[in-house]
Amino acid sequence: MAEGAQRLAIVGTGSAVPEKVVTNFDLEQIVDTSDEWIRKRTGIVERRVAEADVASSDLGTLAAQRALEAAGLPAEAIDFILCSTVSPDMFFPSTACQIARNLGLEGPAPAMDIQAACSGFSYALHVADGLIRSGLYRRILVIAAETLTRFVDWTDRSTCVLFGDAAGAVVVEPASEGQGLLYSKIGAFPQYAQTDILSVPAGGSRKPFSQEVLENREHYIRMQGREVFKIAVSTMPEITLQAIQEAGLQPEAIDWIIPHQANIRITDAIAQRLGVSMDRVYTNIDRYGNTSSASVAVALDELVRSGQLQRGQTVLLVTFGAGWTWGVNIFRY
Ligand code: UT7
């Protein structure tokens, strides 16, 4: 990679959530749970659920259109499309290709999916930065689109209360002086790749779909929440602090911290470890639940559109997810 090559800058953001709201009280009607338990243990109050005819690419297309509009660019100006998703429309063709078609594109811009579970948006931004620094591509649409409620077992109270549907997108291009990505690092702890911690155990090549899979409900998300919590709450604050140090910054220099929205208690732990006020840590888990890789992308768009994030401010995204994967991206907006 060329020394001093230009890094990416975000020139437009967008997001989309389904209209249908499902509250904790609604869930009390279908599983043995309570609004109080869900709020206290997770911070979630409600989540959005896509209508039956809406797939990840539909939400992703809307988010992408909004990001393009914000950037003042037509879809034809894009020369690479990356879509992070753990809930694709189907195994193939990719959700990125579906979005490209929905945007009216006829090529030749490449389009591909990235699967890094809830860390997917950090991974996609990191890859986009590499593509821009290589000089091969200049304008990239980075999308994170998820409809996790399609993969939730609505009879399992330990998981069905957690997830929601959403998509976020950004348009990135080479940064001008003093702007753009300052630091980006992604990684994995594959020692935690056991499928019994967090996975959709069947439907892939390991255990193809069958009557037995259907009866055992193995085509839905399975999670050992407490185990996941322990890994997340011990690693996320540490990787955040390490990233800030490696970027040569102090926690006070970060105007906005946007963590993956999995549990408000994990978010609190990050703020505590960094010694920063929760006022600078953006959360929307109360409204959307855990939307996997879309969560930080949606949060970023909300910060931009509400005017809370100003040009020139420094933002840190920190994500973690099944695999285990993780990522931190720090940029000057
Ligand atoms: O995005 C990537 C990944 N996901 C996450 O980051 C999720 C991480 N994990 C978590 O956020 C938390 O572990 C959960 C919110 C999933 C669970 O909270 P917890 O404090 O770890 O609860 P627990 O799993 O230890 O369960 C405590 C009790 C259990 O009952 P007993 O055994 O103590 O009688 C559960 O059966 O709470 C029970 N429980 C519930 N009760 C009411 C579990 N789910 C529910 C529920 N409503 N929805």
Side-chain angles (χ1 to χ4, degrees), residues 22 24-33 154-156 160:
V22 173
N24 293 345
F25 295 107
D26 295 328
L27 294 177
E28 285 181 1
Q29 308 304 312
I30 61 168
V31 284
D32 180 13
T33 191
W154 291 102
T155 66
D156 175 7
C160 77

Side-chain angles (χ1 to χ4, degrees), residues 279-299:
D279 294 350
R280 281 159 52 202
V281 183
Y282 193 76
T283 61
N284 58 17
I285 193 169
D286 53 332
R287 288 176 286 132
Y288 303 133
N290 180 346
T291 60
S292 190
S293 70
S295 85
V296 290
V298 171

Side-chain angles (χ1 to χ4, degrees), residues 63-280:
Q65 284 165 336
R66 289 170 182 162
L68 285 164
E69 198 180 60
L73 292 169
E76 291 70 24
I78 296 298
D79 53 22
F80 208 116
I81 298 166
L82 288 170
C83 179
S84 156
T85 184
V86 76
S87 46
D89 288 23
M90 54 194 76
F91 274 159
F92 61 86
S94 70
T95 302
C97 279
Q98 313 274 1
I99 293 172
R101 187 201 51 201
N102 293 347
L103 292 174
L105 294 176
E106 293 177 357
M112 70 177 193
D113 286 358
I114 286 191
Q115 207 272 56
C118 300
S119 313
F121 189 68
S122 284
Y123 268 61
L125 269 187
H126 190 87
V127 170
D129 186 51
L131 292 169
I132 283 179
R133 291 173 91 184
S134 75
L136 290 174
Y137 298 94
R138 285 190 60 82
R139 265 196 199 119
I140 304 178
L141 185 53
V142 181
I143 306 151
E146 306 281 8
T147 45
L148 275 196
T149 64
R150 291 285 149 70
F151 302 92
V152 152
D153 182 348
W154 291 102
T155 66
D156 175 7
R157 71 173 182 175
S158 70
T159 51
C160 77
V161 303
L162 303 174
F163 298 103
D165 303 332
V170 293
V171 176
V172 300
E173 57 182 43
S176 50
E177 192 62 33
Q179 261 198 331
L181 205 64
L182 305 173
Y183 173 95
S184 183
K185 196 168 183 177
I186 55 176
F189 300 121
Q191 65 269 35
Y192 297 121
Q194 300 103 305
T195 54
D196 56 343
I197 294 185
L198 175 54
S199 68
V200 174
S205 59
R206 174 72 58 202
K207 196 164 196 185
F209 195 74
S210 66
Q211 188 60 30
E212 184 199 339
V213 164
L214 185 66
E215 282 161 13
N216 293 337
R217 308 179 80 75
E218 290 171 298
H219 53 306
Y220 291 130
I221 296 170
R222 294 267 181 94
M223 178 170 72
Q224 292 182 27
R226 203 176 303 180
E227 292 312 307
V228 174
F229 187 87
K230 277 195 262 176
I231 301 168
V233 86
S234 58
T235 57
M236 276 187 88
E238 295 313 316
I239 59 172
T240 308
L241 195 59
Q242 191 184 340
I244 293 172
Q245 284 164 355
E246 286 178 3
L249 299 170
Q250 298 293 328
E252 306 78 60
I254 311 289
D255 296 293
W256 289 103
I257 295 167
I258 307 180
H260 169 49
Q261 309 283 305
N263 189 313
I264 194 72
R265 292 181 287 143
I266 300 172
T267 308
D268 285 344
I270 296 172
Q272 267 185 25
R273 182 74 180 93
L274 300 185
V276 302
S277 144
M278 276 297 278
D279 294 350
R280 281 159 52 202

